[in-house]
Amino acid sequence: MGPGNDTRFSNFLLLGLSNEPELQSLIFGLFLSMYLITVFGNLLLILAVSSDSHLHTPMYFFLSNLSFVDICFTSITIPKMLVNIHTQSNVITYADCITQMYFSTLFGGWDNFLLAVMAYDRFLAICHPLHYMVIMNPRLCGLLVLVSWTLSVLNSLLQSLMVLRLSYTDLEIPHFFCDLNQMVKLACSDTFLNDVVLYFSTGFLAGGPLAGILYSYSKIVSSICRISSAQGKYKAFSTCASHLSVVSLFYSSVLGVYLISAATHSSHSSAVASMMYSVVTPMLNPFIYSLRNKDIKEALKRMCRIIDIKWTTVPKMKKCP
């Protein structure tokens, strides 16, 4: 950070999605509902996977990690927005803004890597079914999650350190959270080095997983086409349909944000579009993976029956005479 720059002692203003007072109650209710659905839906999915031994497989291990990341990702951004609306104050301290940016970048990147790891898992399951359990052993599963987490942490740490060197005079952030791109655009100092690092990391850490996903699914489609029976094709495709839906939703929304930002040069439009991958996608993930998944449905039913049995066996309190 340059000499004489006192940004670290200043507060930023999160402008949110709208400044119109009559819309604040609607936005508050909408985001609160989506946040609660996201947390409880993903938490229920984690409990279902962890409590049912039938789901202790690589695919559901990665799915439970994805649900955990989705909970963390939304918890970094939405609660602060709800507090700001409730208190009618858009203020966020410099330290809190950098912290929010760090963790949102971390969990956003981790989400991206996990989707690539899950695509690799489906590739092995469909294209190499006889060697699947040998290759995708618990050690490799844990290693893949650990590597994806480490790369996300390093990238987030690098981006945050690069932002710390910037100076600011305009302290109004046209977003509902401290987004990395907005923090770089808002700076009044030279951002050339930040842009280079940002473009490189986006190309490597986002383009790399996307290339892996596309390669995995090209092999999956090729393998499915070689299956002779229609029932066999349907069964093979159904094992990766949910993941493909989540990948399509996530990357189409991310692509939409960058296209809208480039076409309109409007930060407000970019903020609204970013709701798709930062709020809507984490909320929909549990529904996408459970509605058409018999294993998840059965696990949820068994869990509900266990809870119901335990509840009915709790001794009732005797009434006083």
Side-chain angles (χ1 to χ4, degrees):
M1 191 169 290
N5 176 30
D6 58 351
T7 307
R8 71 183 72 185
F9 306 112
S10 304
N11 294 326
F12 286 99
L13 294 177
L14 291 172
L15 300 184
L17 297 176
S18 175
N19 292 325
E20 299 182 20
E22 60 272 14
L23 292 179
Q24 297 307 305
S25 298
L26 177 62
I27 294 174
F28 181 87
L30 179 63
F31 272 79
L32 178 61
S33 302
M34 289 193 294
Y35 178 65
L36 293 177
I37 292 172
T38 300
V39 171
F40 286 115
N42 283 286
L43 188 59
L44 195 62
L45 200 57
I46 293 173
L47 291 174
V49 172
S50 60
S51 64
D52 196 315
S53 59
H54 298 89
L55 301 182
H56 292 174
T57 62
M59 181 177 74
Y60 293 110
F61 170 72
F62 296 133
L63 177 57
S64 60
N65 276 275
L66 182 67
S67 293
F68 169 75
V69 172
D70 284 341
I71 292 174
C72 295
F73 190 25
T74 52
S75 297
I76 291 299
T77 57
I78 298 182
K80 176 59 180 174
M81 178 186 181
L82 295 176
V83 169
N84 286 354
I85 294 175
H86 180 68
T87 59
Q88 298 182 354
S89 172
N90 295 331
V91 175
I92 182 171
T93 64
Y94 178 77
D96 288 345
C97 191
I98 295 296
T99 302
Q100 189 182 64
M101 183 197 69
Y102 170 81
F103 282 107
S104 62
T105 305
L106 189 158
F107 290 118
W110 197 3
D111 205 323
N112 192 32
F113 279 116
L114 283 175
L115 290 175
V117 168
M118 294 172 75
Y120 175 66
D121 171 73
R122 292 299 83 206
F123 159 72
L124 289 177
I126 294 174
C127 300
H128 304 282
L130 297 179
H131 303 94
Y132 173 67
M133 293 308 297
V134 177
I135 298 174
M136 197 59 72
N137 55 68
R139 182 179 179 181
L140 179 61
C141 292
L143 184 63
L144 288 172
V145 172
L146 179 61
V147 170
S148 64
W149 176 80
T150 302
L151 290 174
S152 301
V153 167
L154 293 176
N155 172 60
S156 183
L157 182 61
L158 174 62
Q159 299 292 354
S160 299
L161 292 175
M162 294 298 296
V163 169
L164 286 174
R165 57 183 286 277
L166 299 177
S167 304
Y168 297 89
T169 53
D170 183 5
L171 303 179
E172 293 185 346
I173 303 174
H175 214 291
F176 60 92
F177 70 95
C178 294
D179 179 63
L180 173 62
N181 290 322
Q182 294 297 330
M183 293 295 290
V184 174
K185 288 179 181 179
L186 202 65
C188 62
S189 53
D190 181 30
T191 61
F192 174 76
L193 190 57
N194 292 76
D195 292 332
V196 170
V197 173
L198 185 59
Y199 289 141
F200 175 78
S201 64
T202 301
F204 178 73
L205 298 177
L210 179 58
I213 291 171
L214 293 175
Y215 175 80
S216 296
Y217 273 102
S218 68
K219 292 295 184 180
I220 289 172
V221 170
S222 177
S223 180
I224 290 176
C225 289
R226 289 197 298 267
I227 299 175
S228 57
S229 66
Q231 185 179 1
K233 289 181 179 180
Y234 175 79
K235 185 177 180 180
F237 179 75
S238 63
T239 62
C240 57
S242 297
H243 177 259
L244 186 59
S245 300
V246 171
V247 167
S248 302
L249 182 62
F250 180 81
Y251 280 103
S252 61
S253 59
V254 171
L255 181 62
V257 169
Y258 284 101
L259 289 178
I260 290 173
S261 179
T264 64
H265 299 286
S266 171
S267 298
H268 179 263
S269 299
S270 177
V272 173
S274 68
M275 279 180 54
M276 285 299 298
Y277 74 85
S278 62
V279 181
V280 177
T281 301
M283 180 185 69
L284 294 180
N285 283 355
F287 297 100
I288 294 174
Y289 276 103
S290 60
L291 290 178
R292 297 182 60 185
N293 191 309
K294 293 181 180 179
D295 294 333
I296 294 291
K297 287 181 181 179
E298 290 300 321
L300 291 173
K301 289 178 182 178
R302 281 191 288 268
M303 188 172 67
C304 290
R305 282 197 294 268
I306 292 172
I307 294 174
D308 185 56
I309 291 172
K310 289 184 177 181
W311 178 257
T312 54
T313 55
V314 173
K316 307 296 182 185
M317 292 182 65
K318 295 183 178 180
K319 293 183 178 180
C320 296

